[in-house]
């Protein structure tokens, strides 16, 4: 889902903001998952240590060479060793899953700075464009004012011109 290819041609910062939120959300999920795996490893290691203590506390029967725990007559050493093998396998599997989760977290984390940088650049460009728009609107408003003022001057001059023209005609017609 998250890759640099998906982010390259995204000009809209809101889409990038959403992608950043999604990345951070995925990162939190991966982090929780990794913490759960870490806790599971610790739990399995604890169980293995317990079995190791039981196995290490066993003695071998001199007649049949069978291992047993003198403090627990129901303890089966073979079953304990099998359980220990399974626990070690679970530890290794869980550690492998943790490494995969870490790699996914690193990949997501590596995308975040580039995404934040793109968002900042887009916001800066947006700000510059908004300033240019504002400046252009101000310039248009000043031009409109100047145009209105010019029209008022032209109207005033036309009125004076028409009054001058009518007074000249009157003067010409009136005998001296």
């Amino acid at each position: 889902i998250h890759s640099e290819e998906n982010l390259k041609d995204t000009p809209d910062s809101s889409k990038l903001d959403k992608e950043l939120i999604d990345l951070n959300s995925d990162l939190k999920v991966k982090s929780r998952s990794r913490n759960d795996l870490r806790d599971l490893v610790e739990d399995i290691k604890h169980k293995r240590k317990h079995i190791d203590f039981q196995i290490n506390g066993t003695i071998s029967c001199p007649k049949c060479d069978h291992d047993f725990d003198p403090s627990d007559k129901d303890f089966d050493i073979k079953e304990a060793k099998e359980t220990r093998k399974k626990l070690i396998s679970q530890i290794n599997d869980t550690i492998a899953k943790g490494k995969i989760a870490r790699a996914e977290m690193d990949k997501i984390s590596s995308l975040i700075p580039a995404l934040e940088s793109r968002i900042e650049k887009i916001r800066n460009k947006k700000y510059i464009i908004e300033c240019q728009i504002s400046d252009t609107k101000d310039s248009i408003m000043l031009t409109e004012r100047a145009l209105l003022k010019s029209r008022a001057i032209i109207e005033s001059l036309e009125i004076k011109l028409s009054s001058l023209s009518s007074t000249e005609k009157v003067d010409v017609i009136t005998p001296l």
Side-chain angles (χ1 to χ4, degrees), residues 106-120:
D106 290 344
K107 183 178 180 182
I108 291 170
S109 293
S110 71
L111 294 174
I112 291 174
L115 186 57
E116 289 174 331
S117 174
R118 290 214 49 229
I119 290 170
E120 186 62 29

Side-chain angles (χ1 to χ4, degrees), residues 42-176:
E42 291 304 314
D43 185 49
I44 295 169
K45 283 181 178 180
H46 176 74
K47 288 177 183 176
R48 189 192 75 193
K49 282 182 183 179
H50 180 70
I51 289 175
D52 285 344
F53 286 135
Q54 285 181 313
I55 292 172
N56 291 335
T58 61
I59 58 173
S60 297
C61 175
K63 285 187 178 181
C64 66
D65 207 28
H66 178 74
D67 292 327
F68 66 97
D69 181 355
S71 66
D72 184 358
K73 62 182 175 182
D74 294 328
F75 181 72
D76 183 354
I77 191 70
K78 285 183 182 178
E79 185 180 320
K81 286 181 179 179
E82 275 302 311
T83 302
R84 182 173 68 181
K85 282 182 186 177
K86 288 178 185 176
L87 291 173
I88 289 170
S89 177
Q90 283 180 340
I91 289 171
N92 292 335
D93 290 346
T94 306
I95 288 172
K97 288 177 186 176
K99 287 179 181 179
I100 291 169
R102 182 71 223 173
E104 290 172 351
M105 289 171 58
D106 290 344
K107 183 178 180 182
I108 291 170
S109 293
S110 71
L111 294 174
I112 291 174
L115 186 57
E116 289 174 331
S117 174
R118 290 214 49 229
I119 290 170
E120 186 62 29
K121 285 178 184 176
I122 289 171
R123 286 186 178 147
N124 287 340
K125 286 179 183 179
K126 182 180 176 184
Y127 175 76
I128 290 169
I129 290 170
E130 287 172 348
C131 288
Q132 290 172 340
I133 289 171
S134 178
D135 290 347
T136 303
K137 284 180 179 179
D138 290 347
S139 177
I140 289 171
M141 188 175 65
L142 290 173
T143 303
E144 287 174 343
R145 283 184 190 162
L147 181 62
L148 289 174
K149 194 173 185 179
S150 295
R151 283 186 181 157
I153 291 171
I154 290 172
E155 285 179 21
S156 172
L157 290 174
E158 285 176 344
I159 291 172
K160 285 182 183 179
L161 180 62
S162 73
S163 73
L164 281 178
S165 296
S166 63
T167 54
E168 282 181 16
K169 288 180 185 176
V170 172
D171 286 343
V172 172
I173 298 175
T174 313
L176 283 176

Side-chain angles (χ1 to χ4, degrees), residues 26-41:
D26 287 352
L27 191 60
K28 286 178 185 176
V29 169
K30 299 284 184 199
S31 180
R32 273 189 242 116
S33 173
R34 188 162 183 264
N35 289 340
D36 291 345
L37 290 171
R38 187 178 301 129
D39 292 344
L40 181 60
V41 166

